Amino acid sequence: MKLISTLPIGEYKVIINQFFKCNPSQEYKIQHNFYIVHTKNTTLFKGNITLLIPFDDTMSMEFNLAMRDSFGKWRDNTLVQKSPKACSVVKQVIGNSWNNYLNSFGIKNHACPISPGVYTSGNGMDTSIFKDANFPRQFIYGTYKLRYSYNRNNEILSCNNYVFEIKRL
């Protein structure tokens, strides 16, 4: 993947500003019930992951990355991806952060599928664990909104949004 831009690009840090469900009135079968806590040096996700069904490879994952332009409007479809085998894809993308991510929510089994249950973050998940993920090492600086969903047979099983900033190190 190659992004072409006249905007500044380079190594970065991520600052997560918001997390919210696509449709708060819908009870998804896979729920990420997170809230964000900013401390002086860290950002924590607190809350739980509720799986009413197994998180497995029978579902697909879709994401759409929007970038905020200089007028404050979202430019959707900055980056769009659809992948089958959601559990394996998430595990591959999160990479070396996968075990820490699952451990922070008390999930003991680190293989796909993840069994149904309510998994709570306890003291919170430090988002800095994602520094070991398989994300690009350089990216265009700016503010982004990531919408991702898990789907199976045209049913939306989960849908969430993150708003975050990519800032120069």
Side-chain angles (χ1 to χ4, degrees):
M1 170 182 59
K2 186 173 184 175
L3 295 174
I4 299 172
S5 174
T6 58
L7 296 171
I9 187 171
E11 293 185 11
Y12 60 91
K13 63 181 174 180
V14 176
I15 299 168
I16 300 170
N17 296 321
Q18 292 179 318
F19 173 86
F20 54 97
K21 295 178 182 179
C22 298
N23 182 350
S25 65
Q26 183 172 343
E27 186 173 320
Y28 296 108
K29 292 180 180 176
I30 297 176
Q31 302 168 23
H32 295 94
N33 302 306
F34 298 154
Y35 60 98
I36 299 169
V37 176
H38 293 280
T39 64
K40 183 178 179 182
N41 297 319
T42 60
T43 299
L44 300 173
F45 279 168
K46 291 194 170 194
N48 70 67
I49 299 171
T50 300
L51 302 177
L52 302 177
I53 59 173
F55 179 58
D56 61 23
D57 284 342
T58 65
M59 56 189 77
S60 62
M61 181 188 78
E62 295 181 31
F63 72 81
N64 186 319
L65 188 65
M67 185 175 194
R68 184 173 285 156
D69 67 18
S70 59
F71 300 105
K73 295 187 179 193
W74 291 111
R75 288 186 7 220
D76 287 329
N77 304 322
T78 300
L79 182 61
V80 177
Q81 179 71 39
K82 182 175 181 176
S83 300
K85 300 185 177 184
C87 188
S88 293
V89 167
V90 171
K91 184 176 180 178
Q92 189 276 326
V93 168
I94 293 178
N96 292 333
S97 302
W98 175 255
N99 290 348
N100 288 334
Y101 174 72
L102 295 179
N103 287 340
S104 68
F105 286 94
I107 301 173
K108 306 288 186 228
N109 172 33
H110 295 174
C112 293
I114 306 296
S115 298
V118 178
Y119 303 101
T120 304
S121 66
N123 293 331
M125 183 202 73
D126 186 340
T127 60
S128 70
I129 68 168
F130 293 121
K131 71 181 181 309
D132 295 325
N134 293 324
F135 299 147
R137 296 297 171 222
Q138 295 188 341
F139 212 80
I140 300 166
Y141 302 128
T143 302
Y144 294 88
K145 179 172 59 174
L146 173 67
R147 184 184 73 236
Y148 71 93
S149 63
Y150 301 125
N151 310 285
R152 182 171 50 216
N153 300 329
N154 296 321
E155 179 185 8
I156 299 171
L157 304 170
S158 182
C159 186
N160 299 288
N161 293 282
Y162 290 93
V163 176
F164 59 95
E165 296 175 75
I166 300 283
K167 290 191 168 191
R168 198 178 308 263
L169 276 178

